[in-house]
DNA sequence: TCACCTTGTGCAACTAGTTGCATAAACAGT
DNA sequence: ACTGTTTATGCAACTAGTTGCACAAGGTGA
């Protein structure tokens, strides 16, 4: 149950409409908690009903009209509560590793191309993270908030680094040596 | 839609009953594709209906009686097809990173203890992986299947290594420096 | 022989996330 | 005026995964 809290965090950083949130989820926040606009609108409705956020007054709050939300005190409290609460790490689910395991049984035919594609995607993501780091976190200037946000970004960078290295290694000892 | 393929892989490695599968999912396969026994029984039913697996004949195929399954040719074909098919990487969802991001806004109170707990859990998992590596993949002896399975295990080891390092770094520059 | 524990199988309801589509206003070109 | 595109909001149905519970057989000990 993290989506509402992801939205609360985003709204605290900056009050936004559903579409603006969607765009921010496609960038920074979505890097470790993705969501579609349908999920976001549904959740905004719930959060408003529950009194954790409220719509900012607008001229014509009808369809096809921007509707911005801000976080209420109850929402901030709930986010603080959730952040401090102990949570067990959820088990991983990785289809790519599963496919490698399956390939150990039914053969590797057709897998290599997709591994190369994944490598490219991870390289691209890594480059994007590095750009963000250069732009948003130059040396010096470190508030607590900045330090934490930088830490989160470093996790992204390190994870993508892991994947690119692992995929390169996989591709190395993968199709070259003849099947045995 | 990976659970059926995880089950097919497991059954090809060794025909098993629902409970045996559940136990194997708690160990090796479940490290990157976890599943509860309820999911497994439900999926076994579907796979049997679809003609991808079949129950091995037993004396008393009733309730409270072991029922083993084996993969049929159609099941092997489906697994090979799925393994070779191109798949897009699913976006990550990581509540812990999200919590750090939230903490950048609402404060870090109460977070440190849970980070330490996560660190311990990852250290334990890493130790377990290393044991498995020592036991199952001693130097030399490398069939294609072994090589791939070792590669998958290495992914697990490297990921846990990343998490332990990242959490240690987080804890370092986290509670020590006074809030500012 | 009754009470309890373990092993093994399974259903039903719920929660979270995805996919597909509908609606409406504003604007741009023709 | 009409056609199409972009911006913006939202519902409904579906899929996958989780949680809670039930049922049955066999063994153990009191």
């Amino acid at each position: 149950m993290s989506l509402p809290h992801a939205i609360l965090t985003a709204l605290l950083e900056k009050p936004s409409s559903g579409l603006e949130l969607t765009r921010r989820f496609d960038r920074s926040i979505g890097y470790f908690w993705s969501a579609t606009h349908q999920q976001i609108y549904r959740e905004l409705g719930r959060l408003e009903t529950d009194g954790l956020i409220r719509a900012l007054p607008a001229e014509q709050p009808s369809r096809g009209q921007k509707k911005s939300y801000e976080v209420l005190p109850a929402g901030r409290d709930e986010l603080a509560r959730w952040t401090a609460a102990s949570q067990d790490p959820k088990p991983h689910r990785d289809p790519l590793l599963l496919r490698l395991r399956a390939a150990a049984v039914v053969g590797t035919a057709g897998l290599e191309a997709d591994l190369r594609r994944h490598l490219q995607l991870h390289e691209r993501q890594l480059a994007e993270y590095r750009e963000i780091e250069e732009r948003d976190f130059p040396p010096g200037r470190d508030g607590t908030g900045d330090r934490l946000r930088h830490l989160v970004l470093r996790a992204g960078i390190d994870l993508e680094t892991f994947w690119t290295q692992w995929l390169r290694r996989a591709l190395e000892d993968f199709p070259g040596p003849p099947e045995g």
Side-chain angles (χ1 to χ4, degrees), chain A:
Chain A
M1 263 245 310
S2 304
L3 179 58
H5 303 98
I7 291 177
L8 287 172
T9 304
L11 287 182
L12 278 170
E13 287 174 355
K14 181 177 178 346
S16 311
S17 68
L19 193 66
E20 283 162 0
L21 278 179
T22 302
R23 295 213 170 109
R24 292 169 60 197
F25 269 77
D26 287 342
R27 295 181 280 109
S28 59
I29 294 218
Y31 291 147
F32 46 91
W33 203 274
S34 66
T36 61
H37 77 272
Q38 290 90 338
Q39 277 179 279
I40 288 168
Y41 282 117
R42 181 168 44 179
E43 203 59 46
L44 282 172
R46 284 180 195 152
L47 288 167
E48 192 178 20
T49 304
D50 295 352
L52 302 187
I53 64 174
R54 64 159 191 163
L56 290 171
E59 319 82 75
Q60 302 236 123
S62 69
R63 253 163 176 271
Q65 191 70 24
K66 245 191 223 184
K67 202 164 72 175
S68 279
Y69 293 89
E70 68 174 359
V71 178
L72 295 171
R76 177 180 276 268
D77 291 350
E78 165 56 23
L79 185 60
R81 188 204 58 73
W82 177 82
T83 304
S86 169
Q87 281 178 231
D88 284 327
K90 288 270 154 219
H92 311 124
R93 291 232 168 86
D94 195 309
L96 193 61
L97 294 179
L98 191 56
R99 280 165 77 194
L100 268 272
R101 177 85 172 228
V105 181
V106 298
T108 59
L111 232 171
E112 193 194 343
D114 209 36
L115 289 189
R116 285 195 196 289
R117 198 171 63 88
H118 278 243
L119 175 56
Q120 275 195 356
L121 293 171
H122 285 294
E123 277 170 346
R124 221 166 283 161
Q125 188 64 59
L126 178 55
E128 195 178 330
Y129 285 161
R130 286 204 209 277
E131 270 174 48
I132 294 172
E133 190 180 33
E134 252 182 78
R135 170 161 41 82
D136 293 357
F137 303 98
R141 187 181 62 75
D142 262 9
T144 302
D146 280 340
R147 229 184 317 129
L148 287 171
R149 273 185 281 267
H150 193 177
L151 200 56
V152 171
L153 180 60
R154 285 305 312 179
I157 291 175
D158 291 351
L159 276 169
E160 294 300 331
T161 302
F162 153 72
W163 279 112
T164 54
Q165 286 174 353
W166 183 81
L167 282 165
R168 277 199 206 99
R169 188 211 293 221
L171 284 164
E172 258 174 42
D173 89 356
F174 187 72
E179 277 268 334

